[in-house]
Amino acid sequence: MGPLTRPVLKELHLDKAFMGTIGFTVKEGLTTTDPGEAFTKEIVMSQARQVIVLADSSKAGKISFARAGNWDKVHVLITDKQVEKNFAKELNQTGIKLVRA
């Protein structure tokens, strides 16, 4: 985790990156409690052809300490069926595929 991972991660070519998050909002993107983790996640997302975020609906609307990525790098959000309809509508406007499992 953190800046020392940059040289290694920048050499990788990832087909898919499955990411978790502590919180997410349409405006703030993905957030986490650890700045080192946030830094690492952003690099992984930039190296992946497809980014899939897995997060249950309890994390929707939550903003944690450090931004861990923006929605412009995310292709799919997989969450549960309890995600609020307003959030789903806003997210769909960004072009991100929303999967409710």
Side-chain angles (χ1 to χ4, degrees):
M1 296 296 216
L4 295 177
T5 61
R6 179 189 297 255
V8 173
L9 292 174
K10 286 293 187 179
E11 297 300 317
L12 300 178
H13 303 281
L14 307 171
D15 288 329
K16 295 181 186 209
F18 292 88
M19 312 294 291
T21 188
I22 299 294
F24 60 92
T25 68
V26 173
K27 181 180 177 185
E28 296 296 324
L30 312 177
T31 58
T32 188
T33 56
D34 181 348
E37 179 183 338
F39 177 88
T40 303
K41 284 183 174 188
E42 286 189 318
I43 293 175
V44 168
M45 291 171 74
S46 72
Q47 294 299 107
R49 289 186 185 99
Q50 184 179 31
V51 175
I52 301 160
V53 175
L54 304 132
D56 66 78
S57 62
S58 71
K59 296 175 181 179
K62 305 283 194 270
I63 300 172
S64 195
F65 181 64
R67 184 184 310 249
N70 292 316
W71 290 113
D72 64 342
K73 300 285 185 190
V74 176
H75 300 91
V76 179
L77 169 64
I78 300 174
T79 189
D80 55 67
K81 294 179 182 178
Q82 284 74 39
V83 71
E84 290 185 16
K85 290 181 182 177
N86 287 340
F87 174 82
K89 183 178 177 181
E90 283 184 68
L91 190 67
N92 282 335
Q93 292 173 350
T94 67
I96 296 166
K97 181 178 180 182
L98 177 64
V99 177
R100 295 177 190 168

